[in-house]
Amino acid sequence: MSTAKFDTIGQYLLKRLYQAGVKDIFGVPGDYVLGFYDLMIKSQVRHIGTTREDSAAFAADGYARCVGMGALAVTYGVGALNTVNAIAGAYAESSPVVLISGAPGVSEQKDDPLIHHRFGPFTFQREIFERISCASVVLNDPVIAFRQIDHAIEAARRFCKPVYIELPRDLVMAEGYPMPTETVEKFTSDQAALSEAIAETMMLLSKAVSPMIVAGVELHRRGLQGALANFVERTGLPVVATLTGKSVMSERHPAYLGIYEGAMSSEAVRDRVEKSDLLLMLGVTLNEIDTGIYTAKLNSHSTIRAALNEVVISAHRYPGIALEDFLGALAGSVGTSSGEGVVPSLEPPVSIAFPETDRPITTVRLVERLNSALSNDMIVVCDVGDCLFAAIDLRVHEQSEFLASAFYTTMGFAVPAALGAQIARPDRRALILVGDGAFQMTGTELSTHARLGLNPIVVVFNNGGYSTERCILEGPFNDINPWRFDRLGELFGPLAGYEAATEAEFEEALLNALDNHGMPSIINVHLAADDSSEAMKRLAEHLQSKIKRDA
């Protein structure tokens, strides 16, 4: 009789995650997940404790966007349910996050006891996460547990969506049963459809006078930034990005023009895009945000859109074509540009020298100064609200160095997501842009940055409340309690705090923060309540008119 000892279910889960690139797991301990935590600290995977479960999920999301997959481990009920919003955001934003929830033991559940953290039938939690994940498994059978783990991790990788794994606490140390590895068939493009789509695309490109590329978020999620750069180098075509796809192309590249999002775009970018006689839209999802609340004026008869495993050219639809295959075949079909086709990037208007003595700081001037401070080793992590719209004018140096919840637009994303990003990319320094309201939601995670010796620079857009809502409809419900953000070091640990109401004060604070490499820095920037970016003003004007129409 064989006495071979196999991995336990908990060990196998940790091993497969590590092999998938997950070297760190975020989370908050709880009794139903403690056994798994004990295994984790004895494994190659590092545990990163966070202040809240939803922050752990945001951190795993930021981590996943940087290395391809992220994970968190929390307890049943009170822990897992606290992640629902963040996991829903990862689902909406196509970020492969693995949520591991401890659970009452199988033996405990059989007797149907009224044990703590229970909120109904034990199946309820899995049913909730089924709606916001591409795979959900409960590891309550050692015979199939290993196969379930493999399926879940592969689903996260393949579909770029969250997965849910529930692990009863009495099976963490149960031996699993190895099974033959299943070969997962990779999506294969329809070669006939691909050939026809390429032929039609090349014909239209040969006739176009002002063709250009619109690059979208799917290029980032599918890891196709390099393929895009190669195509641009070969063709010399000018490029704009959507807001959700910001930084999928290096924004310092001469072919890059800026962000296009309908009426919220700069006039120069909007004019170039909407007057183009052929738009090659790669990895673009035509959501409300990327179309500027549906103000984009795009002629469907002069667009080629490749996304979601299909290519649509005017009225012709070619299903069954992977974006990767289309972009690769297209690059192989075009000739190498001599460089004459590259259109010089749109230069921002020349601004007054910074700082101007005693001049109050404004959002526009703040972003202009941050733009000049950006360096090759910075990754910008942005929350929602006016800081997101203002960040349209930032030009990051490298590919995929801008992270935001730009489509799902959940407040509280930036500070914890930056934690995940810096853990995943220790060669990068996070520049966190966050409003005062969003910081009050998850800003406690800055204490985790401090505990780990990370050195992000946090710029708080402090305008005394919820500025996006204030622009739409003013009212006392938009006001929040004023925090002394610059004094959080007294509470959070090693942290350098600065306060700035004028350009000169911001200049001094920024220079000190840039020079401070040993701990986080936070700059409490006092902005007028009615100050906003140009994009925000355009958005507010559109939303106000919509409210009046609907009234």
Side-chain angles (χ1 to χ4, degrees):
M1 183 176 180
S2 173
T3 58
K5 186 173 179 64
F6 301 120
D7 284 336
T8 68
I9 295 174
Q11 288 171 335
Y12 187 79
L13 176 54
L14 286 165
K15 182 170 71 174
R16 297 294 287 133
L17 285 170
Y18 190 85
Q19 291 169 348
V22 177
K23 306 298 190 294
D24 307 273
I25 293 180
F26 302 88
V28 178
D31 56 353
Y32 292 126
V33 78
L34 284 180
F36 182 71
Y37 269 44
D38 188 51
L39 270 184
M40 194 191 319
I41 63 173
K42 298 171 184 174
S43 74
Q44 292 177 287
V45 177
R46 178 174 58 158
H47 167 247
I48 304 291
T50 56
T51 63
R52 297 166 50 94
E53 291 90 356
D54 57 347
S55 289
F58 285 133
D61 187 343
Y63 190 99
R65 298 190 197 198
C66 291
V67 299
M69 190 174 295
L72 68 151
V74 296
T75 196
Y76 184 79
V78 295
L81 295 182
N82 204 20
T83 72
V84 168
N85 175 60
I87 295 297
Y91 189 88
E93 299 267 342
S94 297
S95 188
V97 173
V98 179
L99 168 60
I100 303 160
S101 172
V106 173
S107 58
E108 294 172 288
Q109 295 183 36
K110 282 180 180 177
D111 297 330
D112 199 33
L114 294 176
I115 56 179
H116 65 287
H117 296 344
R118 186 179 179 187
F119 56 97
F122 288 111
T123 59
F124 269 17
Q125 181 168 295
R126 175 186 56 79
E127 291 168 6
I128 290 169
F129 283 100
E130 275 184 343
R131 304 298 181 121
I132 51 176
S133 63
C134 66
S136 61
V137 298
V138 179
L139 306 179
N140 56 10
D141 184 351
V143 174
I144 62 172
F146 287 5
R147 178 65 54 85
Q148 289 177 300
I149 290 169
D150 290 345
H151 280 177
I153 292 175
E154 178 57 33
R157 180 188 292 110
R158 182 173 183 178
F159 299 108
C160 295
K161 298 285 188 182
V163 296
Y164 172 78
I165 298 177
E166 186 174 306
L167 179 56
R169 63 177 171 181
D170 59 355
L171 291 185
V172 173
M173 295 304 296
E175 285 190 17
Y177 290 76
M179 293 185 177
T181 303
E182 284 189 319
T183 302
V184 179
E185 292 186 13
K186 184 180 179 182
F187 178 83
T188 303
S189 294
D190 182 321
Q191 291 303 310
L194 177 60
S195 296
E196 290 183 23
I198 292 295
E200 186 172 2
T201 299
M202 291 302 297
M203 184 214 25
L204 292 174
L205 279 171
S206 67
K207 295 179 179 179
V209 176
S210 57
M212 64 188 305
I213 298 167
V214 181
V217 67
E218 195 179 340
L219 290 168
H220 173 255
R221 300 301 190 261
R222 299 292 176 183
L224 298 177
Q225 301 95 318
L228 172 65
N230 175 56
F231 181 63
V232 171
E233 292 293 336
R234 290 181 67 85
T235 62
L237 291 176
V239 185
V240 295
T242 62
L243 182 56
T244 61
K246 181 174 170 62
S247 85
V248 71
M249 178 80 184
S250 171
E251 297 182 342
R252 304 292 171 126
H253 192 285
Y256 178 76
L257 301 182
I259 298 293
Y260 176 74
E261 51 168 346
M264 283 179 278
S265 318
S266 70
E267 287 301 320
V269 168
R270 187 179 187 186
D271 185 68
R272 289 286 295 275
V273 171
E274 296 179 358
K275 288 184 178 178
S276 169
D277 62 352
L278 184 64
L279 290 178
L280 189 55
M281 304 178 73
L282 302 174
V284 174
T285 56
L286 295 175
N287 59 65
E288 178 192 43
I289 299 298
D290 287 338
T291 58
I293 320 298
Y294 302 123
T295 58
K297 295 180 179 178
L298 303 175
N299 184 349
S300 61
H301 296 294
S302 59
T303 62
I304 299 170
R305 191 162 73 90
L308 303 174
N309 291 335
E310 70 173 10
V311 176
V312 179
I313 304 176
S314 186
H316 302 160
R317 179 174 177 265
Y318 298 92
I321 299 177
L323 177 58
E324 177 182 10
D325 294 338
F326 179 75
L327 185 53
L330 195 58
S333 300
V334 298
T336 303
S337 170
S338 63
E340 297 176 358
V342 175
V343 180
S345 59
L346 298 172
E347 293 296 330
V350 178
S351 60
I352 304 169
F354 195 99
E356 268 205 325
T357 305
D358 298 328
R359 181 177 178 175
I361 190 74
T362 64
T363 300
V364 172
R365 294 281 284 170
L366 167 64
V367 172
E368 285 178 0
R369 180 61 184 93
L370 289 175
N371 214 13
S372 64
L374 286 178
S375 59
N376 291 332
D377 65 345
M378 282 187 175
I379 182 167
V380 180
V381 188
C382 191
D383 222 288
V384 302
D386 202 27
C387 59
L388 177 60
F389 296 122
I392 290 172
D393 295 324
L394 283 180
R395 292 213 168 189
V396 298
H397 286 247
E398 304 297 333
Q399 297 170 353
S400 303
E401 300 293 357
F402 182 89
L403 306 179
S405 177
F407 170 54
Y408 187 63
T409 58
T410 178
M411 294 176 68
F413 171 84
V415 176
L419 172 67
Q422 283 211 216
I423 294 294
R425 298 289 305 277
D427 59 329
R428 291 291 184 264
R429 186 179 193 183
L431 173 63
I432 303 172
L433 309 181
V434 59
D436 50 339
F439 189 95
Q440 289 191 12
M441 293 184 175
T442 57
T444 51
E445 223 51 63
L446 191 57
S447 65
T448 308
H449 287 262
R451 176 168 59 86
L452 297 175
L454 303 176
N455 60 357
I457 298 173
V458 183
V459 179
V460 180
F461 287 56
N462 187 352
N463 46 24
Y466 301 126
S467 61
T468 306
E469 286 72 16
R470 183 171 281 139
C471 287
I472 301 169
L473 182 64
E474 181 58 287
F477 38 76
N478 293 320
D479 300 331
I480 62 175
N481 190 42
W483 282 16
R484 288 295 305 272
F485 300 100
D486 50 294
R487 297 183 61 181
L488 286 176
E490 299 173 24
L491 178 66
F492 287 176
L495 176 69
Y498 309 96
E499 196 167 19
T502 66
E503 290 189 357
E505 290 171 345
F506 181 72
E507 178 71 10
E508 181 180 3
L510 180 61
L511 292 176
N512 286 332
L514 290 169
D515 193 48
N516 174 25
H517 295 278
M519 66 183 72
S521 298
I522 184 167
I523 307 176
N524 183 14
V525 183
H526 294 277
L527 299 165
D530 59 352
D531 176 55
S532 61
S533 65
E534 290 302 316
M536 173 68 86
K537 292 173 184 175
R538 291 191 289 266
L539 170 63
E541 181 180 345
H542 173 78
L543 292 179
Q544 285 170 349
S545 63
K546 187 175 186 297
I547 288 173
K548 290 177 181 178
R549 289 197 306 271
D550 294 342

